[in-house]
Amino acid sequence: MQGQRSTGTDEDGRVIDPADVDEAVFDVVEQIPAGRVSTYGAIGHLIGIGPRRVARALSSGGGAVPWFRVVRADGSAAEPVRVEQLSRLAAEGVPMRNGRVVLAEVRWPD
């Protein structure tokens, strides 16, 4: 479809609306319990999108969900939000070592 951006197609070949993808990301992130953490890749796997698309959804409109509970695969936080993210996670009792979340102890989903 010329003039429209899409994220891709579903299993039936229908165009997926980017706003629907964002909502799917937000729905999953809202399920992460306090004190637990997920990764961009894990969220993407649950929805069927890549980790960069998850990051884009959260950075562009994820302020109403616990975005800070989503980190990189190595447990690190993205630089622009690093200080705030690690502070919020520490307040929830999330274990960290050398500025990274100890994912083995708090990864969601299990």
Side-chain angles (χ1 to χ4, degrees):
M1 300 178 127
Q2 193 171 8
Q4 288 185 321
R5 290 180 57 200
S6 68
T7 301
T9 58
D10 65 13
E11 62 276 357
D12 296 321
R14 294 178 296 219
V15 174
I16 300 169
D17 185 330
D20 292 342
V21 174
D22 288 356
E23 284 303 314
V25 170
F26 303 153
D27 289 347
V28 172
V29 171
E30 283 181 323
Q31 296 176 41
I32 304 170
R36 302 288 300 276
V37 178
S38 193
T39 64
Y40 297 107
I43 301 296
H45 181 75
L46 291 172
I47 300 168
I49 60 174
R52 290 184 185 203
R53 182 63 183 89
V54 173
R56 184 171 47 202
L58 291 174
S59 69
S60 66
V65 299
W67 58 268
F68 56 91
R69 294 184 186 141
V70 183
V71 297
R72 294 175 177 156
D74 66 357
S76 65
E79 199 53 46
V81 295
R82 185 177 189 283
V83 172
E84 180 180 359
Q85 186 170 21
L86 295 180
S87 174
R88 286 182 179 218
L89 292 173
E92 290 188 351
V94 172
M96 289 178 232
R97 198 170 295 126
N98 299 320
R100 295 176 188 221
V101 172
V102 181
L103 287 169
E105 296 180 25
V106 292
R107 183 184 305 269
W108 182 95
D110 296 326

